[in-house]
Amino acid sequence: KRSGASPTADHAADARELRMRARSLAQNVPNIVRAVNAVLAMRVGQGIVPVWADEGLAKRWREWVPHADYDGLLDFYGLQYKAERTRDVDGAVLIRKHIQRMGSTVPLKLQLLEIDFLDVERNGVLAGGREIIRGIEYDKRGQRVAYYLFDRHPGDAGMWTLGRSGTSQRVLAEEIIHFFDSERPGQQDGITRLAPIIAKVRDLHTYGDSELQRKQLESRMGVLAEMEGAGGMPPPLPEEAGGQKPGLMDLGDLAGGGIVGLPPGMTNPTFIEPKAVPGFGDYMKGGWKEVAAGYRCPYELMTGDLTEVNFSTSRMSMN
């Protein structure tokens, strides 16, 4: 956040970069994958199911639920889960309503679109006091009247086909549900819920990678060895059949340690064993607790680590 910046200015500066990094975390970091799924399981589960007092409405609802998805992949409850997950990770999701006049009990289909479909480069002033701000058109009262959407995901570079213009088209706002958390007055789009923890997760992974490299170095033992013979060089080994020398190997450059030749007469070779640095586990645990707090998810659900809780404290945390 920038001091004094408007919600729109903040979003324009950071939203896309934060969204790309959040997607990477939600796809590649095990603890984040687990946290996102755990939060959605608590919030949506198998779906938020309405209870109808009118049996006729209940019947029509049951008939519509399996066919709610415009893409034909999910039922309405699956759309709930996907919309919530996309909003968490991306910050926002567009839900386009398609009205089908014929052949359907409930003539409505819902299509989920990533926020990338919104043409945020579209800005300008129109007639009648209307203006376009980052792909959203407002009337003179500040009400949303239209969205400018690409007809194909802009990330499909080089995959535009016949009939696909590659430019954004005006879609009436009444056809769009713009699903996001409005945390500031006047905010017109969302920021990923992972934003507060992106830098911390990066730091934890950097530290973890450094510790892994140190462990690999520890597994390679360095040796100070005496070298017999003139000039500090080893004596020649006898030739065997085929011209091979027994026990002679080309070690090359040792990444984690080397064999150092010492002056003749030196005895008692010294083995160099790196010592482990204490505190790694405690630091990582503390770091993941901070990440869990930033994502507003119980640490135990994020990591599966139940060593510090009993039934009562874990239940309180989940509640």
Side-chain angles (χ1 to χ4, degrees), residues 76-123:
F76 177 72
Y77 303 118
L79 288 177
Q80 284 183 2
Y81 190 94
K82 182 186 283 189
E84 283 282 347
R85 187 186 190 281
T86 306
R87 182 184 64 166
D88 263 16
V89 176
D90 289 1
V93 61
L94 300 174
I95 306 172
R96 187 168 184 178
K97 295 179 282 187
H98 294 269
I99 305 299
Q100 299 182 330
R101 306 293 181 185
M102 303 292 292
S104 177
T105 303
V106 178
L108 173 66
K109 298 281 190 179
L110 301 177
Q111 181 185 21
L112 299 189
L113 300 173
E114 288 188 329
I115 197 63
D116 307 65
F117 276 84
L118 183 64
D119 184 2
V120 296
E121 300 301 324
R122 179 81 74 120
N123 297 279

Side-chain angles (χ1 to χ4, degrees), residues 67-173:
H67 307 289
D69 186 5
Y70 180 82
D71 295 324
L73 301 175
L74 302 169
D75 64 9
F76 177 72
Y77 303 118
L79 288 177
Q80 284 183 2
Y81 190 94
K82 182 186 283 189
E84 283 282 347
R85 187 186 190 281
T86 306
R87 182 184 64 166
D88 263 16
V89 176
D90 289 1
V93 61
L94 300 174
I95 306 172
R96 187 168 184 178
K97 295 179 282 187
H98 294 269
I99 305 299
Q100 299 182 330
R101 306 293 181 185
M102 303 292 292
S104 177
T105 303
V106 178
L108 173 66
K109 298 281 190 179
L110 301 177
Q111 181 185 21
L112 299 189
L113 300 173
E114 288 188 329
I115 197 63
D116 307 65
F117 276 84
L118 183 64
D119 184 2
V120 296
E121 300 301 324
R122 179 81 74 120
N123 297 279
V125 178
L126 307 176
R130 295 176 296 131
E131 61 178 341
I132 304 172
I133 302 175
R134 293 184 59 77
I136 303 176
E137 182 181 330
Y138 297 87
D139 63 18
K140 62 182 179 181
R141 297 176 300 169
Q143 301 292 311
R144 301 180 186 220
V145 295
Y147 288 77
Y148 287 83
L149 306 181
F150 295 111
D151 53 8
R152 186 164 186 146
H153 197 294
D156 289 336
M159 297 178 62
W160 300 99
T161 59
L162 292 176
R164 305 282 186 164
S165 65
T167 60
S168 58
Q169 307 297 322
R170 187 175 186 268
V171 179
L172 293 177

Side-chain angles (χ1 to χ4, degrees), residues 276-291:
V277 177
F280 172 76
D282 291 338
Y283 177 82
M284 293 296 286
K285 178 176 286 190
W288 282 114
K289 287 181 178 179
E290 186 176 342
V291 169

Side-chain angles (χ1 to χ4, degrees), residues 1-2 7-21 134 190-192 195 198:
K1 301 297 184 182
R2 292 161 178 75
T8 302
D10 262 342
H11 187 275
D14 298 328
R16 186 180 184 278
E17 183 67 25
L18 290 174
R19 183 166 70 245
M20 297 301 105
R21 295 186 181 187
R134 293 184 59 77
I191 298 287
T192 173
I198 291 175

